[in-house]
Amino acid sequence: MKIPNALWANLIQERLSNVDCIKQGWILEGFPENQEQAWMLQSSGIFPRHVVVLYAPDTVLIERNSGKRLDPVTEEVYHTTFDWPSDELIQQRLVKPEDLSEEETSRKLLEYHRNFPGVFQIYQKILKSINADQPCMDVLSQVLTYVQTRHRSAAPFTPRIVFCGPPGSGKSLQAGLIAQKYHLVNICCGQLLKEAIADKTKLGELVKPYIDNGYPVPDKLVLKVLADRLNAPDCVANGWVLHGFPRDIEQGEELQKSHSPNRVFFFNLPYESIMERLSQRRTDPVTGERYHTTFRPAPTPVIQARLRQNPRDNEENIEKRVEAYYRNAAELEDFYEDAFYVNADQDPHVVFEFIESCIIKPLPCKKVKSL
């Protein structure tokens, strides 16, 4: 039985949110296999910094696979040419895996060649192809050289971008897309606080009681955590896109003093659209697949019957979150008088193209009044 793409994405997102991945980083191998899976990762907020594609002629790959042998006792994998065990006892019990026949390998290669162009399109700005038909140490050396390099931003200046908008307006998705294309640091304020707690920093220890008890973290603490991140070398060199902060004019004024943004976007979405996007979201607890009662209904009555709603998505909680945003939005909009306004009630690709055009073009020059 094939595992649904959405379930894969959910499992990967859950694993990558663990403390060890947040602190040490991660390597994801064998996924995504197609464009839909790549989009699923992006929708889950997973944006790799480097993508390495190892390639070799199909004849070489078929030959490599056909020589693999499995030890059923230890589950160690050996190879008839490259890694044959010296122990005769091990040699006698080795078996050829069932799914590594030449026909099966050819079928998998055909599927890979069919799906790879879609994956390449998603990750072309951060992808490097490396010839795997050479000694493994040479391959490793090239991979290490690539992943240790910093991408040069394609932006015409060092972007310092802020996204503001109500819940459900697509800030996280657009931040991830912009960060990936221009190699910016994607900073979600809420996630940043969780990372500080996971890292067990002094600030993280101060933040932890507020997060654990569901209380708002004081502005002074948030600003200290945020300042530490924005002062890091990658943010200074590559630029950043920030969402989830500022939420009111006081926070905006404090941010302006230390790390003045040079692009601010306000996402506009009608209240009815917010409700429609969020209140109708459902999750299948069995497969992890996400559905929407209007835009992506469950395919069968059985699945429909077992769908569940996240408590954050009930209408009462959505209303509270929307009211909290609009309580301070007008003052924040006045404060950022050069901000751009985004119609978020349209296709995400259209929204992305508009944001990108505003990043590339220069800000309007303010006219100096003559005395």
Side-chain angles (χ1 to χ4, degrees):
M1 182 178 176
K2 191 174 182 180
I3 299 176
N5 289 336
L7 179 56
W8 268 123
N10 287 344
L11 290 171
I12 292 169
Q13 181 186 31
E14 185 177 340
R15 180 64 186 90
L16 298 188
S17 64
N18 286 356
V19 175
D20 57 346
C21 290
I22 292 173
K23 292 178 69 174
Q24 300 173 36
W26 46 267
I27 299 174
L28 180 60
E29 184 267 328
F31 194 95
E33 295 180 336
N34 53 53
Q35 192 175 59
E36 183 185 354
Q37 291 178 350
W39 276 114
M40 285 281 184
L41 289 182
Q42 291 192 336
S43 299
S44 301
I46 300 169
F47 299 92
R49 292 181 184 175
H50 300 82
V51 174
V52 175
V53 174
L54 302 178
Y55 70 90
D58 284 0
T59 52
V60 172
L61 297 174
I62 291 171
E63 184 183 358
R64 286 185 180 180
N65 260 357
S66 64
K68 287 182 179 178
R69 297 294 183 269
L70 178 68
D71 183 344
V73 177
T74 64
E75 296 190 353
E76 286 285 330
V77 177
Y78 296 91
H79 197 278
T80 55
T81 304
F82 307 115
D83 184 25
W84 191 246
S86 56
D87 190 327
E88 290 188 9
L89 200 62
I90 296 177
Q91 293 177 13
Q92 292 171 6
R93 68 185 185 218
L94 293 183
V95 296
K96 185 174 183 177
E98 294 180 3
D99 61 344
L100 291 183
S101 66
E102 185 172 333
E103 294 77 13
E104 180 64 15
T105 302
S106 298
R107 186 193 66 78
K108 289 181 178 179
L109 284 170
L110 184 63
E111 185 177 357
Y112 170 80
H113 291 312
R114 188 184 299 121
N115 291 324
F116 177 72
V119 178
F120 178 86
Q121 186 180 4
I122 299 293
Y123 295 122
Q124 57 182 316
K125 297 290 184 180
I126 55 171
L127 182 146
K128 184 173 180 63
S129 296
I130 295 175
N131 181 11
D133 189 17
Q134 53 182 322
C136 61
M137 292 309 296
D138 292 344
V139 176
L140 176 60
S141 175
Q142 292 177 50
V143 172
L144 284 176
T145 299
Y146 176 61
V147 300
Q148 288 171 352
T149 59
R150 287 183 180 175
H151 296 299
R152 184 175 180 180
S153 175
F157 57 94
T158 304
R160 301 186 301 275
I161 303 169
V162 168
F163 284 166
C164 301
S169 57
K171 301 185 296 297
S172 297
L173 175 59
Q174 295 301 328
L177 294 174
I178 288 293
Q180 178 173 288
K181 178 160 186 179
Y182 290 101
H183 311 304
L184 312 182
V185 180
N186 182 2
I187 302 175
C188 171
C189 192
Q191 182 65 25
L192 190 64
L193 296 175
K194 292 177 182 177
E195 289 175 7
I197 295 172
D199 289 340
K200 296 184 178 180
T201 63
K202 290 183 179 180
L203 286 173
E205 294 298 320
L206 295 174
V207 167
K208 191 175 187 298
Y210 294 96
I211 298 291
D212 288 348
N213 293 294
Y215 296 129
V217 181
D219 285 355
K220 286 185 177 180
L221 284 178
V222 177
L223 283 162
K224 285 180 180 178
V225 174
L226 189 57
D228 283 352
R229 186 66 189 92
L230 297 180
N231 287 330
D234 57 346
C235 285
V236 174
N238 301 330
W240 43 266
V241 53
L242 171 65
H243 48 111
F245 190 95
R247 295 178 181 273
D248 55 46
I249 190 171
E250 288 79 13
Q251 292 180 348
E253 289 171 343
E254 290 300 321
L255 182 66
Q256 194 77 8
K257 292 176 185 177
S258 56
H259 299 86
S260 174
N262 49 31
R263 293 291 188 277
V264 177
F265 294 85
F266 284 94
F267 288 56
N268 291 325
L269 191 66
Y271 182 78
E272 295 76 16
S273 297
I274 295 173
M275 277 295 179
E276 187 177 33
R277 285 188 184 185
L278 300 183
S279 66
Q280 296 183 38
R281 294 193 299 195
R282 299 291 186 273
T283 303
D284 183 346
V286 176
T287 65
E289 192 89 20
R290 294 178 182 177
Y291 296 96
H292 192 281
T293 56
T294 301
F295 305 126
R296 191 170 182 257
T300 68
V302 174
I303 296 176
Q304 175 64 38
R306 70 187 185 217
L307 295 185
R308 296 290 181 267
Q309 182 186 48
N310 188 313
R312 280 172 57 85
D313 290 341
N314 67 50
E315 293 194 8
E316 183 180 352
N317 285 333
I318 295 171
E319 284 178 7
K320 289 178 181 177
R321 291 157 61 198
V322 172
E323 286 174 7
Y325 170 76
Y326 282 112
R327 196 179 301 130
N328 301 298
E331 283 188 337
L332 207 52
E333 289 176 10
D334 289 341
F335 179 71
Y336 290 118
E337 56 184 4
D338 290 328
F340 297 93
Y341 290 84
V342 181
N343 174 14
D345 197 15
Q346 52 187 334
D347 185 272
H349 296 289
V350 177
V351 174
F352 174 78
E353 288 174 0
F354 172 75
I355 293 171
E356 184 179 31
S357 71
C358 296
I359 291 172
I360 292 173
K361 68 185 181 183
L363 285 172
C365 296
K366 292 183 180 179
K367 294 181 179 179
V368 180
K369 293 181 180 179
S370 56
L371 297 173

